Amino acid sequence: MCHIEFATSTAPADVVRRQYLASAAGDLDALRATLAPDVEWTEMAGFPLAGTYRTPEGVTANVMEKLGQDWEGWAAHDDTYVVDGGHVVVLARYTATHKATGKPLAVRVAHHFVVRGGLIVRFEQFVDTALVRDAMTPGT
């Protein structure tokens, strides 16, 4: 019963957790189902996919699918949640191996989500982009 409640809960932390679980499972349909139609998803300046993407399809096509093309085993590990109303900050880690360089990545990140009406309406990523770039650069 707990799983069913979690799966249908509109509590902000539960919605965000479903997004991480869907991403980890590679279930882009389930991930899109956590996003509002007018979502604004911002990848940090300096990150390889930097920019703001809109619509659930735009987010998965321009972020998740591209990460899967360039990285082996890309995963966002959601470690700690800080919740204030509809704001959810997640302290997390990215792990992966860059396909072109073979270099591993292990970097701490912070994600800020805004959840309204049971859907993610805004996302902003904070990450040490130099570590990501290092993993993408041959011979460093």
Side-chain angles (χ1 to χ4, degrees):
M1 175 140 174
C2 184
H3 177 69
I4 293 169
E5 289 175 15
F6 171 75
T8 59
S9 171
T10 59
D14 291 343
V15 173
V16 169
R17 179 72 177 136
R18 278 198 303 278
Q19 179 273 150
Y20 281 105
L21 291 171
S23 179
D27 187 341
L28 297 183
D29 287 335
L31 193 150
R32 283 188 287 270
T34 67
L35 304 176
D38 60 346
V39 65
E40 290 187 5
W41 187 280
T42 302
E43 298 286 312
M44 187 169 178
F47 190 70
L49 304 174
T52 298
Y53 304 97
R54 291 173 174 80
T55 77
E57 294 76 18
V59 170
T60 55
N62 290 295
V63 180
M64 289 72 183
E65 290 178 22
K66 290 193 176 178
L67 289 171
Q69 291 170 4
D70 296 337
W71 299 86
E72 187 68 41
W74 182 274
H77 309 271
D78 51 329
D79 296 328
T80 304
Y81 284 65
V82 180
V83 181
D84 181 13
H87 293 266
V88 180
V89 174
V90 180
L91 304 178
R93 297 170 287 122
Y94 290 153
T95 59
T97 300
H98 193 258
K99 290 180 179 178
T101 66
K103 291 182 179 180
L105 173 70
V107 63
R108 295 289 292 159
V109 299
H111 293 155
H112 175 216
F113 295 87
V114 178
V115 178
R116 194 173 304 124
L119 295 171
I120 297 166
V121 296
R122 200 169 64 213
F123 166 87
E124 187 174 5
Q125 171 202 56
F126 300 89
V127 60
D128 184 340
T129 57
L131 292 177
V132 177
R133 293 280 178 189
D134 286 350
M136 298 174 66
T137 304
T140 58

